[in-house]
């Protein structure tokens, strides 16, 4: 698709914080609605807030992405809730795909619509897909997610390969005494498949303290298992997310570990987040957020918008405080896209 929206450099510095970290990667939530009831995130299902602001419109998203692209962003990840529930999801992707300088448009999805819609996602401009599969046992999958869609999601992954995706990233939250016994089964699954299997360490949030204390499994345990079995750590690209990626000569797939409790986890941070109602979040476990929405109403506000984003970034902390049991104000991860 031809790029049609020119981005003019207005002299603003690229996104660099006070700790000399550079930001090329925007995680944009376009909805906080999710149709799964994962036990580690939304065990009671989605509960809409009263008098909640509306989600960002297509034109507001266009203005936001244009500003971030001018400031050096090259990758946009579309998240939710479940982003594909938005009726204008494809229009949003197509619009982002027309912004000059954006090289990658990634999607994080629960896979609910993948089998039916992945062809359209690719045509619209989605360059990479992360899909959640927390168990390879359909009954355990249902127990964790509250939905009976395992077979359909697995066929959706196969369909993505059929239409030309070279690699699919699969996310799984491994939890002690729930699904951690499936670790070796996941490894066997990717032996002859180009899947990056990403194990995400359970994170503590305000509503889930007791759940965290009971089921948290340290990612270091998994890392030690991999290293003992001959897996090697791969170098990172500047556009990569937080996963430490491991490769083994006998496996076509890869393993990614996301370990937010690891020392120096935040040292390589390269991503900022904007919520579905237009607030800039400097950290997944930060505070209330900086409102950008009043500056998303026209292209003419772009210089002011860039200045606000850049100024806000200078207040970004060196690291989160998860290791101290401080998860900020985040009650659950669905509210900001993880």
């Amino acid at each position: 698709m031809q790029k049609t929206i020119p981005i003019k450099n207005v002299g603003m510095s690229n996104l660099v914080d006070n700790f000399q970290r550079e930001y090329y990667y925007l995680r944009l939530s376009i909805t906080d609605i999710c149709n799964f009831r994962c036990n580690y995130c939304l065990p009671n299902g989605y509960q809409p807030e009263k008098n909640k602001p509306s989600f960002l419109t297509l034109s507001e998203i266009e203005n936001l992405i244009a500003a971030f692209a001018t400031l050096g962003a090259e990758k946009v990840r579309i998240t939710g809730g479940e982003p594909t529930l938005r009726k204008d999801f494809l229009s949003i992707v197509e619009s982002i795909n027309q912004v000059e300088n954006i090289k990658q448009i990634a999607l994080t999805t629960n896979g609910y619509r993948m089998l039916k819609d992945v062809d359209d996602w690719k045509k619209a401009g989605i360059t990479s897909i992360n899909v959640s599969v927390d168990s390879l046992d359909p009954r355990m999958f249902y127990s964790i997610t509250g939905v009976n869609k395992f077979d359909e999601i697995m066929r959706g992954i196969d369909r993505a390969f059929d239409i030309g995706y070279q690699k699919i990233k699969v996310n799984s939250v491994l939890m002690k005494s729930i699904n951690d016994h499936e670790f070796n089964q996941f490894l066997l699954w990717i032996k002859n498949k180009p899947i990056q299997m990403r194990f995400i360490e359970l994170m503590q949030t305000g509503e889930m303290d007791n759940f965290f204390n009971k089921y948290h499994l340290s990612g270091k345990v998994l890392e030690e298992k991999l290293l003992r079995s001959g897996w090697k750590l791969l170098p990172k690209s500047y556009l990569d997310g937080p996963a430490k990626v491991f490769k083994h000569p006998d496996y076509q797939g890869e393993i990614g570990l996301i370990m937010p409790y690891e020392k120096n986890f935040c040292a390589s941070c390269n991503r900022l987040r904007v919520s579905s109602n237009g607030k800039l979040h400097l950290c997944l476990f930060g505070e209330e957020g900086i409102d950008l929405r009043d500056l998303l109403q026209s292209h003419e506000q772009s210089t002011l918008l860039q200045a606000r984003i850049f100024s806000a970034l200078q207040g970004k902390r060196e690291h989160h405080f998860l290791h101290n049991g401080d998860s900020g104000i985040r009650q659950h991860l669905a509210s900001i896209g993880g």
Side-chain angles (χ1 to χ4, degrees):
M1 185 180 291
Q2 178 115 17
K3 306 279 186 184
T4 58
I5 300 178
I7 303 295
K8 297 180 180 178
N9 193 315
V10 295
M12 182 71 60
S13 299
N14 278 12
L15 291 170
V16 181
D17 68 14
N18 284 328
F19 304 97
Q20 301 309 303
R21 293 173 296 198
E22 298 182 62
Y23 295 82
Y24 301 100
Y25 176 2
L26 172 65
R27 296 181 63 106
L28 172 65
S29 174
I30 60 173
T31 178
D32 66 3
I33 298 171
C34 187
N35 55 342
F36 280 29
R37 301 185 302 278
C38 296
N39 58 6
Y40 55 83
C41 186
L42 288 175
N44 299 316
Y46 175 73
Q47 306 292 328
E49 300 174 20
K50 292 181 179 178
N51 303 316
K52 186 181 66 175
S54 60
F55 301 133
L56 291 176
T57 65
L58 178 58
S59 63
E60 288 173 329
I61 290 170
E62 289 173 347
N63 292 333
L64 177 75
I65 299 301
F68 267 94
T70 301
L71 289 169
E74 298 179 15
K75 176 178 179 179
V76 176
R77 176 172 297 282
I78 303 174
T79 70
E82 174 47 41
T84 64
L85 294 178
R86 272 193 63 155
K87 293 180 179 179
D88 58 350
F89 171 71
L90 291 177
S91 297
I92 291 170
V93 177
E94 290 166 350
S95 175
I96 295 172
N97 194 40
Q98 293 183 46
V99 177
E100 190 177 336
N101 297 339
I102 298 299
K103 298 177 179 177
Q104 296 182 28
I105 307 175
L107 169 66
T108 295
T109 176
N110 61 25
Y112 184 83
R113 302 181 66 94
M114 192 168 180
L115 179 60
K116 176 176 175 288
D117 292 344
V118 69
D119 298 60
D120 293 331
W121 298 350
K122 193 170 194 299
K123 290 173 187 174
I126 295 294
T127 57
S128 63
I129 298 171
N130 290 37
V131 56
S132 295
V133 179
D134 288 308
S135 175
L136 295 175
D137 177 347
R139 291 170 297 178
M140 178 61 74
F141 181 90
Y142 176 77
S143 176
I144 293 173
T145 66
V147 297
N148 189 20
K149 288 285 182 180
F150 174 79
D151 290 334
E152 192 172 316
I153 290 169
M154 297 298 276
R155 285 188 287 134
I157 292 172
D158 290 340
R159 178 61 188 167
F161 287 128
D162 289 344
I163 63 172
Y165 283 100
Q166 299 299 305
K167 179 194 295 184
I168 298 294
K169 294 179 180 179
V170 175
N171 297 336
S172 179
V173 178
L174 279 193
M175 295 168 282
K176 188 168 54 179
S177 304
I178 295 181
N179 62 343
D180 60 328
H181 64 280
E182 295 191 54
F183 180 71
N184 290 333
Q185 188 178 350
F186 277 116
L187 264 58
L188 185 62
W189 183 46
I190 67 165
K191 189 170 180 63
N192 299 305
K193 290 180 181 287
I195 287 173
Q196 185 182 111
M197 190 68 226
R198 296 150 58 88
F199 297 110
I200 303 172
E201 195 169 343
L202 183 66
M203 294 176 240
Q204 189 171 12
T205 55
E207 293 181 354
M208 304 295 289
D209 284 350
N210 292 335
F211 189 93
F212 173 84
N213 292 331
K214 187 173 182 180
Y215 298 115
H216 175 253
L217 174 68
S218 171
K220 294 299 290 182
V221 172
L222 304 181
E223 181 177 24
E224 289 165 5
K225 282 185 180 181
L226 292 173
L227 293 174
R228 285 197 303 267
S229 302
W231 292 78
K232 303 294 184 185
L233 182 64
L234 296 178
K236 272 191 178 188
S237 159
Y238 74 104
L239 288 179
D240 285 343
K244 294 175 72 171
V245 178
F246 297 81
K247 186 72 178 168
H248 192 290
D250 297 336
Y251 287 75
Q252 187 176 355
E254 301 169 339
I255 297 292
L257 299 180
I258 299 177
M259 302 184 290
Y261 294 90
E262 184 182 35
K263 186 178 179 182
N264 297 325
F265 176 77
C266 301
S268 61
C269 187
N270 64 351
R271 58 207 173 280
L272 296 171
R273 293 171 169 82
V274 172
S275 70
S276 57
N277 59 7
K279 286 192 175 183
L280 172 67
H281 294 270
L282 305 176
C283 177
L284 177 58
F285 294 96
E287 299 308 320
E288 183 62 35
I290 299 97
D291 198 358
L292 304 179
R293 196 161 199 174
D294 60 308
L295 296 179
L296 298 177
Q297 304 313 304
S298 74
H299 294 295
E300 286 69 31
Q301 296 175 295
S302 182
T303 301
L304 289 174
L305 175 60
Q306 292 170 49
R308 185 177 293 176
I309 294 168
F310 183 83
S311 176
L313 180 58
Q314 306 319 301
K316 182 171 169 66
R317 302 182 303 190
E318 185 175 10
H319 52 73
H320 60 57
F321 293 95
L322 281 180
H323 49 286
N324 295 335
D326 178 4
S327 60
I329 64 165
R330 198 72 53 232
Q331 294 302 304
H332 53 76
L333 300 182
S335 64
I336 193 176

